[in-house]
Amino acid sequence: MQNDEVSSRDVDVVVVGAGFSGLYLAHRATQMGLSVQVLEAGSGVGGTWFWNTYPGARCDVESIDYSYSFSDELQQGWVWSERYAAQEEILAYLNHVADRFDLRRHIRFDTRVSTAEFDGSGWVVTTEQGDTVSATFCVMASGGLSAPKKPDIAGLDDFAGQSFHTARWPKEGVEFAGKRVAIIGTGSTGVQLVPMVAREADQVYVLQRTPNYVVPAGNRPLGEGELDTVKATYPERRQNARRTASGVPAAAKPGPGKDLSDAARREVYERMWAIGGAPAILRGFTDVMTDPGVNVFVADFAREKIAQTVRDPETAESLSQRDFPFGAKRLCLETDYFEAYNRPNVELVDLRKKPLERVTAGGFVAGGEEYAVDVILLAIGFDAISGAVTEIDVRGRDGVSLKDYWADGPKATLGLQVAGFPNLFLVNGPGSPAVLGNVVAFAEQHVEWITDCIGYLRDNGVGTIETTPESDETWADHVDEVGGQTLYVRAKSWYTGENVPGKPRRFLPYAGGLDRYRDRCDEIAAKGYDGFVLSREHDPAEAASG
Ligand code: NAP
C-alpha cells in the first residue's frame, strides 16, 4: 500500500509560499533532481514584498546583504540603487530571480493552502481553489510576518469608509488627496507609512498605544563605485555574514561606552545617528545592550533627538519611550517620521491618555472625543512566526492538529520540525532565529539544511524524519532560556506572542544568533540527524497499520 502511495505522489516536495525561502527552496530542490510544487496565495512571487505595497515600505537591512548569496552571477549582476531597497525594488529582484532560475514553472499562483494532512508516508495538501497536491515532503515557507493580526478594535465593522491592514494594501493603490486618515499602530510599518500619507492626505491622525524607539534609517542612494567595491569582495563579505549572530557582516569593532565621559559618548553617538541604521546605533558601543548605564545613555540620546525635532513638547514627550530599555523591541527606522508631526495636518492621538473606545461609521472615538475620518489604516502587526502555519489546518500522525499540539505555545525542534508531523519542515518556525536578523541569510541556511536533509533521506532509503515531543520541548525551553537572558523580554512584542490577544506567551525566536544556530544544525546533520527519528522506507509495521 505504501509502495503505491509513494509512487503515486504528485511531487517530491510541496512548498507553501513563493517568497525568499520558497523560491530558493524550489531552486535548490530542483537542482538536486527533486520535483517541486510551490503553492502561492498571491498572484506573483515575493511573499512579504508582494503583499506589503504600502507607501514607504522598505527593508531595514541593507540591500547588499538582504539578498541571496547562493549565486555569484546573481549578486554580481544585480544593481541595487539605494542603501535600503524599497519594496518595488526588492519585488523586482525576486521576479528577476524567478525568471533567471526558471522557477515560475514550479509555482501555482492565486492558490491558498487550506489543509495539509500526513497520510502515513507523506503529505496531502488541499487549497481553497480546490487543488490537491500529494508529496513526500511538505515545507512551510509561509513567512514569519505574513499573517496579519486580526483587528481587536471595537466597532471596526461599522466603519463606512475604507479600512484595511497594511499588509493587504489594495493593488490599485489608495488615493489620499482630500481625505482624513487614521493610522493605527506605530511599529516599523506605521513609522514608514505616516510621513508618506501625511504628504497627500488632508488630515492624518496617528493612533499610538506604545511609543517605540525610532532611529534614523540613514537611507541614501548607493554612491558611485560603492556597489562595485562591495561586489569585488562579495565572497568574503558573505562568508563573514554567515559567521555572525545577525547575518549581517560585522563592521569595525567599537569599544565599550561604560568608562567614557558623557561628552565622549555623545561624540560617538552623533556619528552613529549620522550613519543611521540598526547595526550602527545598537552597536555604537559594545555594551549598549548589556550595561544599564550605557543603555540609558542611548535611550536618553534618542529622546533628546525627538525633542530637538518635534516642535510641540507634548507630542515629543508622547513619542518618547520610557517604559522599556533601548533595543528591547526591534528598533524602527525612520525617514522624515518625526518631522511629519510638525506638519499642520498631522496629529498624534496618544491612546495612553485617550484610550481608543470604538470605531464608528464615520470615524473613531478616543478619550471621549470624536474624530471624523474617511480611511482607517491598520498598521497593527502580525500573528508572527506561527500564525501563517496555524492558519492552515495541519494534521499529523493520527489526525492530530498542529494547533492542538501548540495549544500551550508553538514549539519545534530547531524551529524546523515538529513531533508527530513527519516530513513536515518549517522555515522561520518557532525556535528559529530568523526574525532577529537578516531574514535572507537565515532563509538560505534553513533551506540548505532542509534540502540537504531531504537529500540524505533519499540517498539512505529513509522514508520519514520527525522529532520527538521531548526534543521539541527541550529546544523550546532552551529558546525561552536564551531569550530570557536578553532585553527582549522587557517589552511586550510579537517575539512572545503578547501582541495577539489569547496567544500563549512564549519567547519564540532563538536569540542565540545565526552562527551558534548554524553550528548546532550542522552538528546534528553530521551525526545522521542526531535526536531526530528516522524511519526506513516501506517500513513493514507502518505499511500493515497504514
Ligand atoms: P508591530 O511592530 O507589531 O506594531 C504594531 C503596532 O500596532 C504597535 O504600535 C501596536 O501597539 C499597534 N496596535 C496593535 N493592535 C492595536 C490596537 N488594538 N489598538 C491600538 N494599537 C494597536 O507591527 P509592524 O509595525 O507591522 O512590524 C512588525 C515587524 O515587521 C517589525 O518588527 C519588523 O520585524 C517587520 N517590519 C520590517 C519593516 C522594515 O524592514 N523596515 C517594515 C515593517 C515591518 P502596541 O505596541 O501597544 O501593541
Side-chain angles (χ1 to χ4, degrees), residues 201-253:
D202 263 18
Q203 175 67 38
V204 177
Y205 297 107
V206 183
L207 280 67
Q208 174 193 269
R209 194 163 61 182
T210 311
N212 272 310
Y213 288 104
V214 180
V215 302
N219 189 37
R220 53 177 172 74
L222 283 174
E224 185 82 22
E226 201 176 346
L227 193 56
D228 294 339
T229 309
V230 170
K231 285 181 177 179
T233 56
Y234 242 144
E236 299 93 284
R237 185 179 183 90
R238 300 294 200 179
Q239 196 48 41
N240 181 356
R242 275 185 205 108
R243 297 307 316 163
T244 62
S246 63
V248 174
K253 277 244 177 298

Side-chain angles (χ1 to χ4, degrees), residues 48-49 52 54 56-61 66 145 149-153 165-166 184-192 207-212 324 329-333 351 356 378-382 435 492-495 498-499:
T48 285
W49 302 104
N52 284 274
Y54 62 84
R58 188 178 287 283
C59 189
D60 60 9
V61 177
Y66 191 86
L145 290 157
K149 180 182 133 165
K150 294 194 175 55
D152 46 353
I153 297 161
H165 192 284
T166 45
I184 306 183
T186 51
S188 299
T189 303
V191 164
Q192 291 184 327
L207 280 67
Q208 174 193 269
R209 194 163 61 182
T210 311
N212 272 310
F324 54 79
K329 261 192 200 181
R330 191 177 170 119
L331 292 182
C332 301
L333 300 197
L351 300 182
L356 178 58
L378 303 166
I380 57 172
F382 299 88
V435 291
K492 285 187 182 173
S493 73
W494 53 265
Y495 294 154
E498 281 168 288
N499 65 323

Side-chain angles (χ1 to χ4, degrees), residues 194-498:
V194 166
M196 302 301 285
V197 178
R199 281 178 206 169
E200 280 185 45
D202 263 18
Q203 175 67 38
V204 177
Y205 297 107
V206 183
L207 280 67
Q208 174 193 269
R209 194 163 61 182
T210 311
N212 272 310
Y213 288 104
V214 180
V215 302
N219 189 37
R220 53 177 172 74
L222 283 174
E224 185 82 22
E226 201 176 346
L227 193 56
D228 294 339
T229 309
V230 170
K231 285 181 177 179
T233 56
Y234 242 144
E236 299 93 284
R237 185 179 183 90
R238 300 294 200 179
Q239 196 48 41
N240 181 356
R242 275 185 205 108
R243 297 307 316 163
T244 62
S246 63
V248 174
K253 277 244 177 298
K258 193 169 176 291
D259 299 322
L260 295 182
S261 68
D262 199 51
R265 286 176 177 173
R266 270 171 189 284
E267 197 244 299
V268 172
Y269 259 76
E270 287 294 352
R271 260 191 293 124
M272 295 305 136
W273 237 247
I275 295 168
I281 291 173
L282 275 176
R283 293 185 233 134
F285 297 124
T286 46
D287 46 5
V288 174
M289 299 298 282
T290 49
D291 185 276
V294 177
N295 190 280
V296 167
F297 162 79
V298 179
D300 283 343
F301 191 89
R303 288 186 284 260
E304 267 176 47
K305 289 290 178 193
I306 300 173
Q308 286 162 14
T309 309
V310 177
R311 283 189 217 116
D312 174 50
E314 198 184 334
T315 304
E317 182 50 33
S318 283
L319 289 165
S320 299
Q321 170 50 242
R322 294 188 184 275
D323 298 333
F324 54 79
F326 188 83
K329 261 192 200 181
R330 191 177 170 119
L331 292 182
C332 301
L333 300 197
E334 64 86 26
T335 303
D336 298 335
Y337 176 65
F338 292 117
E339 284 83 355
Y341 291 97
N342 294 333
R343 300 177 67 109
N345 66 333
V346 177
E347 180 179 334
L348 182 72
V349 181
D350 185 341
L351 300 182
R352 291 171 306 173
K353 293 183 187 153
K354 295 177 168 183
L356 178 58
E357 289 161 32
R358 63 183 184 283
V359 169
T360 61
F364 64 93
V365 181
E369 202 174 322
E370 281 200 53
Y371 297 79
V373 294
D374 308 297
V375 183
I376 298 180
L377 304 175
L378 303 166
I380 57 172
F382 299 88
D383 181 351
I385 304 177
S386 57
V389 180
T390 52
E391 270 183 355
I392 300 169
D393 185 8
V394 182
R395 304 222 165 228
R397 248 183 229 296
D398 306 319
V400 169
S401 122
L402 185 61
K403 246 192 215 159
D404 289 346
Y405 182 66
W406 282 354
D408 297 332
K411 55 191 168 188
T413 299
L414 299 173
L416 289 166
Q417 267 220 304
V418 187
F421 297 80
N423 289 5
L424 176 75
F425 294 95
L426 311 176
V427 182
N428 301 350
S432 147
V435 291
L436 296 179
N438 173 5
V439 174
V440 181
F442 287 90
E444 286 195 324
Q445 186 276 343
H446 285 344
V447 167
E448 285 160 15
W449 193 91
I450 291 168
T451 46
D452 285 350
C453 175
I454 292 175
Y456 175 91
L457 304 182
R458 178 185 62 181
D459 298 346
N460 290 279
V462 178
T464 57
I465 182 166
E466 63 187 297
T467 62
T468 60
E470 297 72 35
S471 135
D472 289 355
E473 208 53 61
T474 305
W475 184 254
D477 286 347
H478 177 58
V479 169
D480 217 36
E481 189 193 327
V482 176
Q485 293 160 7
T486 68
L487 291 176
Y488 295 133
V489 285
R490 303 271 295 275
K492 285 187 182 173
S493 73
W494 53 265
Y495 294 154
T496 57
E498 281 168 288

